[in-house]
Amino acid sequence: MNLTQHIIDAVDRYWAEDVQILGAWQDGPAAACVVYRRTVDPMMTLGCRLEFHAEAADGTVEGFARDVAVNLAEPIGTARSRQDPHGIVWVAVPEDRPTPKPPVEVVRILAGR
C-alpha cells in the first residue's frame, strides 16, 4: 500500500486548485505525513500525519485518501496545532508526540531552494 501516492492522487483529482502539496512521505506501514499550502491562506504552511486503519472512511485506502483530500482543503478549525522549526504548522499532532521531521527535499522547498 502506498498511502502517500493515494493521498497525492486524490488531492490532484479533487482539490488541485485549492491545495498545493509541498511534500508527502510514508511514516510507517500505514501512515503518511503531508506538508501543504492552501490557496485560501497561501502564506501558511500546514502539515499533518495521517494513519490509515480499516475503520477509516469506507475501509479502503482510496476512500481514506479522498477523505484526507477534503480535510486538507477545509479550514483547520479548532484542532490543536503547533509550529516546528521549519515553519510548518502541524495540525492535530498529540502534545506527547514530537512533530514529524520532514525530509531534506521538503525543507529545501520550504527554504526556496
Short mmCIF file of all heavy atoms in Angstrom, two decimals, residues 39-106:
data_model
loop_
_atom_site.label_atom_id
_atom_site.label_comp_id
_atom_site.label_asym_id
_atom_site.label_seq_id
_atom_site.Cartn_x
_atom_site.Cartn_y
_atom_site.Cartn_z
N THR A 39 -4.83 27.66 -1.14
CA THR A 39 -4.96 28.96 -1.82
C THR A 39 -5.67 29.98 -0.93
O THR A 39 -5.44 31.17 -1.07
CB THR A 39 -5.72 28.82 -3.15
OG1 THR A 39 -6.97 28.19 -2.92
CG2 THR A 39 -4.92 28.02 -4.16
N VAL A 40 -6.49 29.52 0.00
CA VAL A 40 -7.21 30.44 0.88
C VAL A 40 -6.27 31.15 1.86
O VAL A 40 -6.54 32.27 2.28
CB VAL A 40 -8.36 29.72 1.61
CG1 VAL A 40 -7.84 28.73 2.63
CG2 VAL A 40 -9.31 30.70 2.25
N ASP A 41 -5.16 30.53 2.23
CA ASP A 41 -4.17 31.15 3.10
C ASP A 41 -2.77 30.71 2.68
O ASP A 41 -2.11 29.93 3.36
CB ASP A 41 -4.43 30.84 4.58
CG ASP A 41 -4.65 29.37 4.87
OD1 ASP A 41 -4.43 28.54 3.95
OD2 ASP A 41 -5.02 29.03 5.99
N PRO A 42 -2.31 31.21 1.52
CA PRO A 42 -1.08 30.70 0.90
C PRO A 42 0.21 30.97 1.67
O PRO A 42 1.23 30.36 1.39
CB PRO A 42 -1.05 31.42 -0.46
CG PRO A 42 -1.86 32.66 -0.25
CD PRO A 42 -2.91 32.30 0.75
N MET A 43 0.17 31.84 2.66
CA MET A 43 1.39 32.13 3.43
C MET A 43 1.57 31.15 4.59
O MET A 43 2.62 31.14 5.21
CB MET A 43 1.36 33.57 3.95
CG MET A 43 1.27 34.61 2.85
SD MET A 43 2.51 34.41 1.54
CE MET A 43 3.98 34.80 2.43
N MET A 44 0.57 30.35 4.87
CA MET A 44 0.66 29.39 5.97
C MET A 44 0.99 28.00 5.41
O MET A 44 0.33 27.52 4.51
CB MET A 44 -0.65 29.32 6.75
CG MET A 44 -0.60 28.32 7.90
SD MET A 44 -2.12 28.27 8.84
CE MET A 44 -1.95 29.78 9.78
N THR A 45 2.03 27.40 5.96
CA THR A 45 2.40 26.04 5.58
C THR A 45 1.89 25.10 6.66
O THR A 45 2.23 25.26 7.83
CB THR A 45 3.93 25.91 5.44
OG1 THR A 45 4.39 26.85 4.47
CG2 THR A 45 4.32 24.51 5.01
N LEU A 46 1.06 24.16 6.25
CA LEU A 46 0.45 23.22 7.19
C LEU A 46 1.03 21.83 7.01
O LEU A 46 1.53 21.48 5.93
CB LEU A 46 -1.06 23.16 6.95
CG LEU A 46 -1.82 24.48 7.16
CD1 LEU A 46 -3.22 24.38 6.61
CD2 LEU A 46 -1.84 24.84 8.63
N GLY A 47 0.94 21.04 8.06
CA GLY A 47 1.37 19.65 7.99
C GLY A 47 0.44 18.79 8.82
O GLY A 47 -0.18 19.25 9.77
N CYS A 48 0.32 17.53 8.42
CA CYS A 48 -0.47 16.59 9.21
C CYS A 48 0.10 15.18 9.02
O CYS A 48 0.72 14.88 8.01
CB CYS A 48 -1.95 16.63 8.83
SG CYS A 48 -2.30 16.27 7.13
N ARG A 49 -0.10 14.39 10.05
CA ARG A 49 0.29 12.97 10.00
C ARG A 49 -1.00 12.18 10.03
O ARG A 49 -1.87 12.40 10.88
CB ARG A 49 1.16 12.60 11.20
CG ARG A 49 1.64 11.16 11.13
CD ARG A 49 2.58 10.82 12.29
NE ARG A 49 3.12 9.50 12.11
CZ ARG A 49 2.49 8.36 12.43
NH1 ARG A 49 1.26 8.39 12.94
NH2 ARG A 49 3.07 7.19 12.24
N LEU A 50 -1.14 11.28 9.10
CA LEU A 50 -2.39 10.54 8.89
C LEU A 50 -2.14 9.05 9.00
O LEU A 50 -1.18 8.54 8.41
CB LEU A 50 -2.94 10.88 7.51
CG LEU A 50 -3.02 12.39 7.23
CD1 LEU A 50 -2.78 12.68 5.79
CD2 LEU A 50 -4.34 12.91 7.72
N GLU A 51 -2.99 8.37 9.74
CA GLU A 51 -2.86 6.92 9.88
C GLU A 51 -4.10 6.24 9.34
O GLU A 51 -5.21 6.54 9.76
CB GLU A 51 -2.69 6.53 11.35
CG GLU A 51 -1.35 6.94 11.90
CD GLU A 51 -1.10 6.39 13.29
OE1 GLU A 51 -1.31 5.17 13.49
OE2 GLU A 51 -0.71 7.19 14.15
N PHE A 52 -3.89 5.34 8.40
CA PHE A 52 -4.99 4.56 7.85
C PHE A 52 -5.29 3.38 8.76
O PHE A 52 -4.38 2.72 9.27
CB PHE A 52 -4.65 4.04 6.46
CG PHE A 52 -5.67 3.08 5.92
CD1 PHE A 52 -6.89 3.53 5.46
CD2 PHE A 52 -5.42 1.72 5.92
CE1 PHE A 52 -7.85 2.66 4.98
CE2 PHE A 52 -6.37 0.82 5.45
CZ PHE A 52 -7.59 1.30 4.98
N HIS A 53 -6.56 3.11 8.96
CA HIS A 53 -6.99 1.90 9.64
C HIS A 53 -8.29 1.45 8.98
O HIS A 53 -8.99 2.23 8.33
CB HIS A 53 -7.16 2.12 11.16
CG HIS A 53 -7.93 3.36 11.50
ND1 HIS A 53 -9.30 3.41 11.55
CD2 HIS A 53 -7.50 4.61 11.77
CE1 HIS A 53 -9.68 4.63 11.85
NE2 HIS A 53 -8.62 5.38 11.99
N ALA A 54 -8.61 0.19 9.12
CA ALA A 54 -9.74 -0.41 8.39
C ALA A 54 -11.07 0.26 8.69
O ALA A 54 -11.99 0.19 7.89
CB ALA A 54 -9.81 -1.91 8.68
N GLU A 55 -11.19 0.92 9.85
CA GLU A 55 -12.45 1.59 10.19
C GLU A 55 -12.55 2.97 9.56
O GLU A 55 -13.58 3.63 9.67
CB GLU A 55 -12.59 1.72 11.71
CG GLU A 55 -12.64 0.40 12.46
CD GLU A 55 -11.25 -0.19 12.68
OE1 GLU A 55 -10.29 0.57 12.92
OE2 GLU A 55 -11.12 -1.42 12.60
N ALA A 56 -11.49 3.45 8.94
CA ALA A 56 -11.48 4.80 8.35
C ALA A 56 -12.28 4.82 7.05
O ALA A 56 -12.25 3.88 6.27
CB ALA A 56 -10.05 5.22 8.08
N ALA A 57 -12.99 5.91 6.87
CA ALA A 57 -13.75 6.14 5.63
C ALA A 57 -14.59 4.92 5.29
O ALA A 57 -15.36 4.45 6.11
CB ALA A 57 -12.80 6.53 4.50
N ASP A 58 -14.42 4.39 4.10
CA ASP A 58 -15.18 3.21 3.69
C ASP A 58 -14.38 1.92 3.86
O ASP A 58 -14.75 0.89 3.32
CB ASP A 58 -15.66 3.37 2.24
CG ASP A 58 -14.52 3.48 1.24
OD1 ASP A 58 -13.33 3.42 1.66
OD2 ASP A 58 -14.79 3.63 0.05
N GLY A 59 -13.27 2.01 4.57
CA GLY A 59 -12.44 0.84 4.81
C GLY A 59 -11.37 0.59 3.76
O GLY A 59 -10.61 -0.35 3.86
N THR A 60 -11.33 1.46 2.74
CA THR A 60 -10.33 1.31 1.69
C THR A 60 -9.33 2.46 1.75
O THR A 60 -9.66 3.55 2.23
CB THR A 60 -10.96 1.31 0.28
OG1 THR A 60 -11.51 2.61 0.02
CG2 THR A 60 -12.04 0.24 0.17
N VAL A 61 -8.13 2.21 1.26
CA VAL A 61 -7.12 3.27 1.20
C VAL A 61 -7.60 4.39 0.29
O VAL A 61 -7.40 5.57 0.58
CB VAL A 61 -5.77 2.69 0.72
CG1 VAL A 61 -4.76 3.80 0.50
CG2 VAL A 61 -5.24 1.69 1.71
N GLU A 62 -8.24 4.04 -0.80
CA GLU A 62 -8.73 5.05 -1.74
C GLU A 62 -9.76 5.96 -1.08
O GLU A 62 -9.73 7.18 -1.24
CB GLU A 62 -9.33 4.39 -2.99
CG GLU A 62 -8.33 3.64 -3.83
CD GLU A 62 -8.04 2.21 -3.32
OE1 GLU A 62 -8.66 1.77 -2.33
OE2 GLU A 62 -7.18 1.56 -3.92
N GLY A 63 -10.70 5.36 -0.34
CA GLY A 63 -11.72 6.15 0.36
C GLY A 63 -11.10 7.03 1.43
O GLY A 63 -11.49 8.19 1.60
N PHE A 64 -10.13 6.49 2.15
CA PHE A 64 -9.42 7.27 3.16
C PHE A 64 -8.72 8.46 2.52
O PHE A 64 -8.80 9.59 3.01
CB PHE A 64 -8.42 6.37 3.89
CG PHE A 64 -7.60 7.08 4.93
CD1 PHE A 64 -8.17 7.46 6.13
CD2 PHE A 64 -6.26 7.34 4.71
CE1 PHE A 64 -7.41 8.11 7.11
CE2 PHE A 64 -5.50 7.99 5.67
CZ PHE A 64 -6.07 8.38 6.87
N ALA A 65 -8.05 8.21 1.39
CA ALA A 65 -7.33 9.28 0.69
C ALA A 65 -8.29 10.37 0.22
O ALA A 65 -7.97 11.56 0.29
CB ALA A 65 -6.54 8.71 -0.48
N ARG A 66 -9.46 10.00 -0.25
CA ARG A 66 -10.47 11.01 -0.66
C ARG A 66 -10.88 11.86 0.54
O ARG A 66 -10.99 13.08 0.43
CB ARG A 66 -11.69 10.34 -1.28
CG ARG A 66 -11.48 9.89 -2.71
CD ARG A 66 -12.79 9.47 -3.37
NE ARG A 66 -13.49 8.41 -2.65
CZ ARG A 66 -13.30 7.10 -2.84
NH1 ARG A 66 -12.43 6.70 -3.74
NH2 ARG A 66 -13.97 6.22 -2.14
N ASP A 67 -11.12 11.22 1.68
CA ASP A 67 -11.47 11.98 2.89
C ASP A 67 -10.33 12.90 3.32
O ASP A 67 -10.58 14.04 3.73
CB ASP A 67 -11.82 11.03 4.03
CG ASP A 67 -13.20 10.41 3.89
OD1 ASP A 67 -13.91 10.72 2.91
OD2 ASP A 67 -13.57 9.62 4.78
N VAL A 68 -9.11 12.43 3.23
CA VAL A 68 -7.96 13.26 3.57
C VAL A 68 -7.90 14.48 2.65
O VAL A 68 -7.69 15.61 3.11
CB VAL A 68 -6.64 12.46 3.48
CG1 VAL A 68 -5.43 13.38 3.50
CG2 VAL A 68 -6.57 11.45 4.61
N ALA A 69 -8.12 14.27 1.35
CA ALA A 69 -8.08 15.38 0.39
C ALA A 69 -9.09 16.46 0.78
O ALA A 69 -8.78 17.66 0.75
CB ALA A 69 -8.34 14.87 -1.02
N VAL A 70 -10.28 16.06 1.17
CA VAL A 70 -11.31 17.01 1.61
C VAL A 70 -10.82 17.75 2.85
O VAL A 70 -10.92 18.98 2.95
CB VAL A 70 -12.65 16.30 1.89
CG1 VAL A 70 -13.63 17.23 2.58
CG2 VAL A 70 -13.24 15.75 0.61
N ASN A 71 -10.28 17.01 3.81
CA ASN A 71 -9.81 17.63 5.05
C ASN A 71 -8.68 18.63 4.83
O ASN A 71 -8.60 19.65 5.51
CB ASN A 71 -9.38 16.57 6.06
CG ASN A 71 -10.55 15.81 6.61
OD1 ASN A 71 -11.67 16.30 6.65
ND2 ASN A 71 -10.31 14.58 7.03
N LEU A 72 -7.80 18.34 3.88
CA LEU A 72 -6.70 19.27 3.60
C LEU A 72 -7.22 20.58 3.02
O LEU A 72 -6.62 21.63 3.26
CB LEU A 72 -5.69 18.64 2.63
CG LEU A 72 -4.94 17.39 3.11
CD1 LEU A 72 -3.97 16.93 2.04
CD2 LEU A 72 -4.23 17.62 4.42
N ALA A 73 -8.30 20.52 2.28
CA ALA A 73 -8.86 21.73 1.67
C ALA A 73 -9.67 22.57 2.64
O ALA A 73 -9.86 23.77 2.44
CB ALA A 73 -9.72 21.34 0.46
N GLU A 74 -10.15 21.96 3.71
CA GLU A 74 -11.02 22.66 4.67
C GLU A 74 -10.20 23.41 5.71
O GLU A 74 -9.04 23.08 5.96
CB GLU A 74 -11.94 21.66 5.36
CG GLU A 74 -12.96 21.07 4.42
CD GLU A 74 -13.89 20.09 5.12
OE1 GLU A 74 -13.59 19.67 6.26
OE2 GLU A 74 -14.90 19.74 4.51
N PRO A 75 -10.81 24.42 6.36
CA PRO A 75 -10.12 25.12 7.44
C PRO A 75 -9.74 24.15 8.57
O PRO A 75 -10.43 23.15 8.78
CB PRO A 75 -11.16 26.13 7.94
CG PRO A 75 -12.13 26.27 6.82
CD PRO A 75 -12.13 24.95 6.10
N ILE A 76 -8.65 24.46 9.28
CA ILE A 76 -8.20 23.54 10.32
C ILE A 76 -9.08 23.58 11.56
O ILE A 76 -9.01 22.70 12.39
CB ILE A 76 -6.72 23.77 10.70
CG1 ILE A 76 -6.48 25.18 11.24
CG2 ILE A 76 -5.83 23.47 9.53
CD1 ILE A 76 -5.10 25.40 11.78
N GLY A 77 -9.92 24.57 11.68
CA GLY A 77 -10.87 24.63 12.79
C GLY A 77 -10.19 24.75 14.13
O GLY A 77 -9.20 25.46 14.28
N THR A 78 -10.69 24.03 15.11
CA THR A 78 -10.18 24.15 16.47
C THR A 78 -9.16 23.08 16.83
O THR A 78 -8.80 22.94 17.99
CB THR A 78 -11.35 24.09 17.48
OG1 THR A 78 -12.02 22.84 17.32
CG2 THR A 78 -12.32 25.23 17.27
N ALA A 79 -8.72 22.32 15.85
CA ALA A 79 -7.72 21.27 16.11
C ALA A 79 -6.45 21.92 16.69
O ALA A 79 -6.07 23.02 16.29
CB ALA A 79 -7.38 20.52 14.83
N ARG A 80 -5.85 21.23 17.65
CA ARG A 80 -4.60 21.73 18.20
C ARG A 80 -3.55 21.76 17.12
O ARG A 80 -3.46 20.87 16.28
CB ARG A 80 -4.12 20.83 19.33
CG ARG A 80 -4.96 20.96 20.54
CD ARG A 80 -4.33 20.21 21.68
NE ARG A 80 -5.18 20.37 22.84
CZ ARG A 80 -4.86 19.96 24.03
NH1 ARG A 80 -3.72 19.35 24.22
NH2 ARG A 80 -5.67 20.15 25.03
N SER A 81 -2.72 22.79 17.16
CA SER A 81 -1.65 22.88 16.19
C SER A 81 -0.42 23.49 16.86
O SER A 81 -0.54 24.18 17.87
CB SER A 81 -2.07 23.74 14.99
OG SER A 81 -2.40 25.05 15.41
N ARG A 82 0.74 23.17 16.30
CA ARG A 82 1.98 23.78 16.78
C ARG A 82 2.97 23.85 15.63
O ARG A 82 2.96 23.01 14.73
CB ARG A 82 2.55 23.05 17.99
CG ARG A 82 2.66 21.60 17.88
CD ARG A 82 2.95 20.98 19.26
NE ARG A 82 2.64 19.58 19.14
CZ ARG A 82 3.49 18.61 19.39
NH1 ARG A 82 4.69 18.88 19.82
NH2 ARG A 82 3.13 17.36 19.24
N GLN A 83 3.80 24.86 15.69
CA GLN A 83 4.74 25.13 14.61
C GLN A 83 6.09 24.49 14.92
O GLN A 83 6.56 24.53 16.06
CB GLN A 83 4.89 26.64 14.44
CG GLN A 83 5.58 27.04 13.17
CD GLN A 83 5.44 28.53 12.91
OE1 GLN A 83 5.24 29.32 13.81
NE2 GLN A 83 5.55 28.91 11.67
N ASP A 84 6.71 23.93 13.87
CA ASP A 84 8.03 23.34 14.05
C ASP A 84 9.11 24.36 13.63
O ASP A 84 8.79 25.46 13.17
CB ASP A 84 8.14 22.00 13.30
CG ASP A 84 8.25 22.14 11.78
OD1 ASP A 84 8.35 23.28 11.27
OD2 ASP A 84 8.25 21.11 11.10
N PRO A 85 10.39 24.02 13.77
CA PRO A 85 11.46 24.97 13.42
C PRO A 85 11.50 25.35 11.94
O PRO A 85 12.12 26.34 11.58
CB PRO A 85 12.74 24.22 13.81
CG PRO A 85 12.32 23.18 14.78
CD PRO A 85 10.92 22.82 14.43
N HIS A 86 10.83 24.59 11.08
CA HIS A 86 10.82 24.88 9.64
C HIS A 86 9.64 25.77 9.25
O HIS A 86 9.48 26.09 8.08
CB HIS A 86 10.77 23.59 8.83
CG HIS A 86 11.87 22.64 9.18
ND1 HIS A 86 13.19 22.86 8.87
CD2 HIS A 86 11.85 21.47 9.88
CE1 HIS A 86 13.94 21.87 9.33
NE2 HIS A 86 13.16 21.02 9.95
N GLY A 87 8.81 26.13 10.21
CA GLY A 87 7.66 26.98 9.93
C GLY A 87 6.40 26.21 9.56
O GLY A 87 5.39 26.82 9.23
N ILE A 88 6.44 24.90 9.64
CA ILE A 88 5.26 24.07 9.35
C ILE A 88 4.35 24.07 10.57
O ILE A 88 4.80 23.79 11.68
CB ILE A 88 5.66 22.62 9.01
CG1 ILE A 88 6.59 22.58 7.81
CG2 ILE A 88 4.40 21.77 8.76
CD1 ILE A 88 7.28 21.24 7.61
N VAL A 89 3.09 24.40 10.37
CA VAL A 89 2.11 24.33 11.45
C VAL A 89 1.49 22.94 11.39
O VAL A 89 0.71 22.64 10.48
CB VAL A 89 1.03 25.43 11.30
CG1 VAL A 89 -0.03 25.28 12.39
CG2 VAL A 89 1.67 26.81 11.35
N TRP A 90 1.85 22.09 12.32
CA TRP A 90 1.37 20.71 12.36
C TRP A 90 0.03 20.68 13.06
O TRP A 90 -0.11 21.17 14.17
CB TRP A 90 2.38 19.80 13.06
CG TRP A 90 3.60 19.60 12.21
CD1 TRP A 90 4.77 20.30 12.29
CD2 TRP A 90 3.75 18.67 11.15
NE1 TRP A 90 5.64 19.86 11.34
CE2 TRP A 90 5.04 18.86 10.62
CE3 TRP A 90 2.92 17.71 10.59
CZ2 TRP A 90 5.52 18.11 9.55
CZ3 TRP A 90 3.40 16.96 9.53
CH2 TRP A 90 4.68 17.16 9.02
N VAL A 91 -0.94 20.09 12.40
CA VAL A 91 -2.31 20.05 12.89
C VAL A 91 -2.58 18.70 13.54
O VAL A 91 -2.27 17.65 12.97
CB VAL A 91 -3.30 20.28 11.73
CG1 VAL A 91 -4.73 20.24 12.22
CG2 VAL A 91 -3.00 21.60 11.04
N ALA A 92 -3.15 18.75 14.74
CA ALA A 92 -3.64 17.56 15.45
C ALA A 92 -2.56 16.53 15.80
O ALA A 92 -2.83 15.35 15.90
CB ALA A 92 -4.77 16.89 14.68
N VAL A 93 -1.33 16.99 15.99
CA VAL A 93 -0.29 16.09 16.49
C VAL A 93 -0.39 16.13 18.01
O VAL A 93 -0.32 17.20 18.62
CB VAL A 93 1.12 16.53 16.04
CG1 VAL A 93 2.19 15.68 16.69
CG2 VAL A 93 1.23 16.47 14.52
N PRO A 94 -0.58 14.97 18.66
CA PRO A 94 -0.73 14.96 20.12
C PRO A 94 0.45 15.63 20.82
O PRO A 94 1.59 15.55 20.37
CB PRO A 94 -0.79 13.47 20.45
CG PRO A 94 -1.24 12.81 19.19
CD PRO A 94 -0.66 13.63 18.07
N GLU A 95 0.16 16.29 21.92
CA GLU A 95 1.18 17.01 22.68
C GLU A 95 2.32 16.12 23.13
O GLU A 95 3.45 16.57 23.26
CB GLU A 95 0.54 17.68 23.90
CG GLU A 95 -0.33 18.87 23.55
CD GLU A 95 0.45 20.04 22.97
OE1 GLU A 95 1.58 20.30 23.41
OE2 GLU A 95 -0.09 20.68 22.05
N ASP A 96 2.03 14.85 23.39
CA ASP A 96 3.07 13.95 23.89
C ASP A 96 3.93 13.35 22.77
O ASP A 96 4.80 12.53 23.03
CB ASP A 96 2.46 12.84 24.74
CG ASP A 96 1.50 11.95 23.97
OD1 ASP A 96 1.02 12.37 22.89
OD2 ASP A 96 1.22 10.84 24.45
N ARG A 97 3.69 13.77 21.53
CA ARG A 97 4.49 13.28 20.40
C ARG A 97 5.22 14.45 19.76
O ARG A 97 4.66 15.54 19.65
CB ARG A 97 3.58 12.65 19.35
CG ARG A 97 2.87 11.41 19.84
CD ARG A 97 2.07 10.80 18.74
NE ARG A 97 2.96 9.94 17.98
CZ ARG A 97 2.56 9.24 16.93
NH1 ARG A 97 1.33 9.33 16.50
NH2 ARG A 97 3.39 8.46 16.30
N PRO A 98 6.44 14.21 19.31
CA PRO A 98 7.13 15.28 18.58
C PRO A 98 6.48 15.50 17.21
O PRO A 98 5.82 14.60 16.68
CB PRO A 98 8.56 14.75 18.42
CG PRO A 98 8.42 13.26 18.53
CD PRO A 98 7.23 13.00 19.42
N THR A 99 6.65 16.67 16.67
CA THR A 99 6.15 16.89 15.31
C THR A 99 7.00 16.06 14.35
O THR A 99 8.18 15.82 14.61
CB THR A 99 6.22 18.38 14.92
OG1 THR A 99 7.56 18.85 15.07
CG2 THR A 99 5.26 19.22 15.75
N PRO A 100 6.41 15.60 13.27
CA PRO A 100 7.18 14.81 12.30
C PRO A 100 8.36 15.61 11.73
O PRO A 100 8.31 16.84 11.63
CB PRO A 100 6.16 14.51 11.20
CG PRO A 100 4.84 14.55 11.90
CD PRO A 100 4.99 15.66 12.90
N LYS A 101 9.40 14.89 11.38
CA LYS A 101 10.59 15.52 10.81
C LYS A 101 10.52 15.41 9.29
O LYS A 101 10.57 14.31 8.75
CB LYS A 101 11.84 14.82 11.34
CG LYS A 101 13.09 15.47 10.88
CD LYS A 101 14.30 14.80 11.49
CE LYS A 101 15.47 15.41 10.88
NZ LYS A 101 16.62 15.54 10.93
N PRO A 102 10.39 16.56 8.61
CA PRO A 102 10.29 16.50 7.15
C PRO A 102 11.62 16.09 6.50
O PRO A 102 12.70 16.42 7.02
CB PRO A 102 9.91 17.92 6.75
CG PRO A 102 10.31 18.78 7.90
CD PRO A 102 10.30 17.92 9.11
N PRO A 103 11.53 15.37 5.38
CA PRO A 103 12.75 15.01 4.65
C PRO A 103 13.47 16.25 4.11
O PRO A 103 12.87 17.32 3.97
CB PRO A 103 12.25 14.15 3.49
CG PRO A 103 10.82 13.88 3.76
CD PRO A 103 10.34 14.85 4.75
N VAL A 104 14.73 16.11 3.80
CA VAL A 104 15.56 17.21 3.30
C VAL A 104 14.91 17.88 2.09
O VAL A 104 14.94 19.11 1.97
CB VAL A 104 16.98 16.70 2.97
CG1 VAL A 104 17.79 17.75 2.24
CG2 VAL A 104 17.70 16.26 4.22
N GLU A 105 14.32 17.10 1.20
CA GLU A 105 13.71 17.68 -0.02
C GLU A 105 12.60 18.67 0.34
O GLU A 105 12.44 19.70 -0.32
CB GLU A 105 13.11 16.60 -0.92
CG GLU A 105 14.05 15.48 -1.31
CD GLU A 105 14.14 14.39 -0.24
OE1 GLU A 105 13.11 13.91 0.26
OE2 GLU A 105 15.27 14.03 0.09
N VAL A 106 11.83 18.36 1.36
CA VAL A 106 10.73 19.25 1.78
C VAL A 106 11.31 20.50 2.42
O VAL A 106 10.84 21.61 2.16
CB VAL A 106 9.76 18.51 2.73
CG1 VAL A 106 8.70 19.46 3.27
CG2 VAL A 106 9.13 17.33 2.03
#
